[in-house]
Amino acid sequence: MSRISFVPGVAGSPFQKTIAQNKAVNAGFKQLSGANFFSLDPELFELVRLRVAANNGCEY
């Protein structure tokens, strides 16, 4: 169970629902996510996301 609640009505992964708490962080993530999505193979991008989550002890 996460310690930070999800924002109601936000679509996406649990991570996206959590970072929606802060509009600036959410906007920055969307910008970064868009940039990486087009520059990396989709499978590699997902592996990077999983690795970052694992390194930070996050459930994904």
Side-chain angles (χ1 to χ4, degrees):
M1 175 180 260
S2 62
R3 293 180 283 174
I4 301 173
S5 60
F6 297 153
V7 175
V10 173
S13 69
F15 175 74
Q16 291 169 315
K17 292 176 183 181
T18 303
I19 66 168
Q21 296 282 348
N22 185 306
K23 290 182 182 183
V25 172
N26 194 28
F29 175 76
K30 285 181 181 180
Q31 183 180 11
L32 176 63
S33 204
N36 286 333
F37 182 75
F38 293 110
S39 62
L40 294 177
D41 176 69
E43 290 179 11
L44 179 58
F45 184 66
E46 187 62 21
L47 287 173
V48 170
R49 291 175 73 168
L50 289 169
R51 182 48 125 183
V52 169
N55 286 348
N56 288 301
C58 299
E59 294 181 23
Y60 182 77

